[in-house]
Structures are given as C-alpha cells and as structure tokens.
Amino acid sequence: MNRIRKHVYAAMAAAGMVAAMAACTPVNPADEPTRPSGGDSVPATPVVEGGRNEQYRPQVHFTPYKNWMNDPNGMVYYDGVYHLFYQYNPRGNDWGNMSWGHATSPDMIRWTEQPVALTHDELGDIFSGSAVIDKDNTAGFGKNAMVALYTSASGVQQQSLAYSTDGGKSFTRYGGNPVIHNDDDNLRDPKVFWHEESGKWVMALAKGWKMGIEFYTSPDLKNWTHASTFFRELQGRPSLQWECPDLIRFGERWVLLVSVNPGGPLLGSGTMYFVGDFDGTTFTADELDYPLWLDYGMDNYAGVTWSNTGERKVMIGWMNNWQYAGAVPCSPWRSAMTLPRELQLTEYNGKPILASTVVKEADGIAGEWKAAGSELDCEDAYQLRITIGLDKNSTIVLSNPFGEKYELNVTASSREIVCKRNASTGDTSFNGFFSVPSMRAPLNTEGERVTLDIFVDQSSVEVFTQNGSMAMTNLVFPKEMYNRLTVSGTEFEAKVRELKSIYK
Ligand code: FRU
C-alpha cells in the first residue's frame, strides 16, 4: 500500500470503523434483508460521448470521461457485451471514495461509460474484485445472474457480494455480507471462477503486505471454505505487497497472476506469474526461476482476465504505477487501461512463457497497412510492425516535431530491448520516479530476425514481439504523439496502420 493509502486506512481504523465493522457483521447472514447497491448519494458519472481531445488523452485506450481510475474489476462477458468495472473515485481525480465505475463494449476496444455500479456502504469502500455469470443458479439469485465479489474495505478487508439480474445495469447487495469475514487489513481482490472437476467456485485472494494468495472454495458463492495458501519466496524482493491475483486455466496447466507493489520488474508496480497445477484446492508452482514478468515496462498493473469467455483468456491491466500514479499530468481523468491482450501459455528455450498479444478486435479500428516512411502520418494512434535483423545492434526511434523521442535499442548479442524514459521522451517533471534510465526486456524468440508490434497512442507505447513472448508497456507524455520513425543499425522492414479514435 502506498504511503497515502496506508495513512487513509490507519485513519479509518483510528476513527473506530473497525469496531463499527464488527457490529455490522450479521449473526445469521441468510436472515439479513438485501440492500440496494449505492451506499450514499454519489452521483452517477455523466456518460459523455465524444469530446475527449485533451492533451495526453488516449484515443484507443479506455479512460473514464473524468476522475480517478485504478484496477480493472468485475470483468465479465455476458450476452454479447464485455463488462469492465474499475476502481473509481466518483468525486475527484485522486485515489479515494473507492467505487466500481462501469463501462461496456461489444469488442473490448470501443467502450461506453455507464453509471457507477457500486459505491461504499456500511462495510466500507468497494475495492477490487471480479464477477461471474451464475449459469446454474448456484447462489439462488436467478439463472445467469451476474454476481460480483469485491473487497469491502475500511479498517479491515472483508469479501462481499452483489448481484445483478438485469445484465449488469443495477446491482443488489447480498444481505449476508461479508461472505468472508476478516479481522485485518490484508486480504483482498477476490477473483472467482468455476472449477468444473470439483463442481465448486474457487476464489483467489491476495494477502497484501502479508504476501501470498489464499484459496477458498464454495458451492454457492455465498458460503466459502478456506482451501489452501500459496506463497513463494522471491529472491532479493523481501517486502512486496501481493495484490490482484488471477488463476487462469490453459488446458491441463494453470497460471497464477499476482501483481506486486513495490517490487515490480523495475520500480513500484508490476505483475508476475507462476506456472503450475491446480487440483481444485491447491496450486502447486513448477520449479522455475521466479519472478517471471508478464510485462517488462513500468505501466501494466493489477491486470486480470475476463470471465465467461470460454477457452479464450483476455486480460486488461491498469496502465499506471503506484510509484507516481497520483501525479501523472492528466485532467479531468487520471489513468487509462492497457489495450486488451490475449494470453497464451507458450514456451521459449524449454521453459513456459505467458505470451500476450493485442486482441484481434483491434482490427475493427485499424486502417490499411502501408509501408512506414519517416513520417508516419497518423492522427489518433497507430500500430507499427517492424521486422529487424539480429545480426547487429539497431535502434528504433519514434519522435515528434518537438524533438521528443522514444528510443528502442535492440541489442543483438543479448537479444533484448533496452529503452529509457527521461526528459527527452516528454514531460517527466511531475514526479521524481517517472524518469527511468534503463529498462530491459528479453525478446524470448529464436531466429535471426524479430518482428515487433508497437502500439502508440497519445501518452503510451506498448511494445510486443509478434508472438507475444515479450511485452513492454510504458506511459509517456510527449507534447504531441510521436509520429516520425527512424531505424538505424541493420536491415529492417516496417509497416504502419492507423488506429482510429474510439471516441469519434
Ligand atoms: C491494487 C489495489 C488493490 C485494491 C485497490 C484499491 O492496485 O491496491 O489491492 O483492492 O487497489 O483501490
């Protein structure tokens, strides 16, 4: 927890909210009446279409029209609609008043902001969590009810439930909340899925500063039994905060995503993964060299996958870092999500790799591919595809007419990309931690050439190897989007396609 947030929790505890929580815990949950979803009179976010042209406003990434956003929450696909809920402050551009904002999309690319879905109640603020479709009506809220499980946060962190029977338009809180009672402030971010073989729901919960993941199981989403604890020592990273887990199935194998803050690949926040087996109660990680990173950049945190998408596993992350998130120069909104990424468990050098590639639905906003010259000639955002030889070192430079530039150095001998973020990249003055002298990402590919997919928006650069074996996501704040290209070093081929604004 960063210093400010820690302070907030401490203040809540001091204000006696811990005692108030205990008093609220129902003796017999089943006897409690249900409550409507809004705990107070927080206004619904105005749903504004168009007009998102402020400096740095992403054109192909989801941002709320205004106010603060952090983690993606409650991601669920239902009836042709992708739902994205998210940590949201309905009252301002800083972290606070944590609620679930809501947006919907037919394709995970074009989003429509919806009214705020859940705001604080007597159990506390609404922290991160997930949503599932209860196809078999195990909870008794109705067949295909959308059931959201989230952390009720005050001086303590407990797990609560709310459900929707109108496809996510409105939620009713379960009267038996919290469904998992807890006495301390380090248990949060429930991610729930249905485990076919055991015929049970499984929940992964993060232990914050206490590190590790707790697994619970339930027949009905309301009654939960502790099943196991997962923890792994990470060399040289003693004081991490574990957050936002997701246990994802790939056929016979399982991958556990865990976001850590601090302790990411460079500084502040990052998302690691473990590969292993899961038997319905216990996750056992393979003996690999952990931590393995989902993304080698600074700005992909708290990412989890959509539920109810069958074999397809698509994640979206919060494109920011707790190290400086409160200071990034964006107004009236603060923070964007990453582009949605399809995850696949692949291999490189005999070892498993969790690969991520931007979803094919991005084609829906893409223009025709054309050869990339020195002027890229794109207005809103673009995808650049460069195939480059690995016989020599080479440098890919994206720049703008103000002389600001983002440089990717492809190092042939070590087969990695090295880049930096500093005053030459754009504005870094808002926070001392934003400049990063050197970030390194292994290409994780074979062969004499590598193909890179580079997605550039007004204030971000996301770099992937074409097969997804490496991802590197970074925020940047240039005066104008980089729209020039130079490549030096060895032979290459480059093409570009414009990505049209999702707001036009
Ligand atoms: C991760 C996180 C979660 C928590 C939420 C609060 O970024 O700290 O663990 O639920 O943010 O906004």
Side-chain angles (χ1 to χ4, degrees), residues 232-413:
R232 201 56 198 235
E233 289 284 355
L234 302 168
Q235 277 206 330
R237 291 166 193 269
S239 64
L240 307 177
Q241 194 180 190
W242 289 36
E243 304 187 309
C244 301
D246 190 2
L247 185 59
I248 311 166
R249 179 177 212 152
F250 294 93
E252 297 298 304
R253 307 290 354 249
W254 295 79
V255 169
L256 178 64
L257 290 185
V258 179
S259 282
V260 283
N261 177 65
L266 295 147
L267 188 70
S269 315
T271 301
M272 55 183 186
Y273 64 91
F274 301 89
V275 183
D277 295 319
F278 182 68
D279 63 6
T281 56
T282 307
F283 174 75
T284 313
D286 294 357
E287 287 308 321
L288 295 169
D289 216 356
Y290 299 114
L292 297 170
W293 298 109
L294 177 70
D295 193 303
Y296 292 88
M298 289 290 286
D299 300 297
N300 181 0
Y301 193 62
V304 290
T305 54
W306 259 281
S307 70
N308 204 30
T309 52
E311 299 289 293
R312 196 174 179 208
K313 308 294 172 194
V314 182
M315 68 149 281
I316 210 165
W318 175 47
M319 197 158 57
N320 214 329
N321 189 314
W322 282 117
Q323 203 69 38
Y324 43 71
V328 295
C330 303
S331 174
W333 83 101
R334 195 175 267 141
S335 288
M337 294 301 178
T338 65
L339 287 173
R341 298 162 185 201
E342 182 133 7
L343 300 183
Q344 247 144 9
L345 191 58
T346 58
E347 267 200 7
Y348 172 64
N349 235 351
K351 294 199 179 131
I353 283 229
L354 186 59
S356 41
T357 45
V358 168
V359 294
K360 63 181 184 324
E361 283 86 342
D363 291 351
I365 56 165
E368 293 292 310
W369 285 110
K370 51 186 188 178
S374 56
E375 296 289 335
L376 295 173
D377 212 16
C378 296
E379 203 180 319
D380 301 330
Y382 57 88
Q383 177 183 1
L384 183 65
R385 179 167 287 172
I386 300 191
T387 302
I388 198 157
L390 288 170
D391 52 329
K392 291 196 197 105
N393 293 348
S394 45
T395 303
I396 301 166
V397 183
L398 301 168
S399 62
N400 67 18
F402 295 93
E404 294 167 320
K405 56 182 185 174
Y406 190 82
E407 237 179 72
L408 295 168
N409 294 294
V410 185
T411 311
S413 55

Side-chain angles (χ1 to χ4, degrees), residues 26-76:
V27 180
N28 179 353
D31 292 337
E32 287 286 301
T34 55
R35 295 181 291 268
S37 67
D40 68 1
S41 57
V42 169
T45 308
V47 178
V48 180
E49 298 303 323
R52 300 190 194 204
N53 294 320
E54 306 92 338
Q55 190 181 25
Y56 307 136
R57 173 75 87 169
Q59 294 299 309
V60 299
H61 291 78
F62 175 71
T63 52
Y65 171 65
K66 64 173 192 176
N67 294 337
W68 169 273
M69 172 177 80
N70 57 286
D71 314 356
N73 294 154
M75 296 155 68
V76 62

Side-chain angles (χ1 to χ4, degrees), residues 412-441:
S413 55
S414 58
R415 300 182 75 91
E416 60 182 355
I417 289 193
V418 183
C419 78
K420 59 179 179 290
R421 185 170 64 185
N422 60 20
S424 69
T425 324
D427 188 9
T428 55
S429 64
F430 51 87
N431 184 285
F433 292 113
F434 195 73
S435 285
V436 183
S438 174
M439 310 181 209
R440 315 174 85 85

Side-chain angles (χ1 to χ4, degrees), residues 5 70-71 87 95 127-128 188-189 243-244 301 322:
R5 291 193 296 153
N70 57 286
D71 314 356
Q87 287 288 276
W95 186 87
F127 273 17
S128 290
R188 60 179 178 272
D189 310 337
E243 304 187 309
C244 301
Y301 193 62
W322 282 117

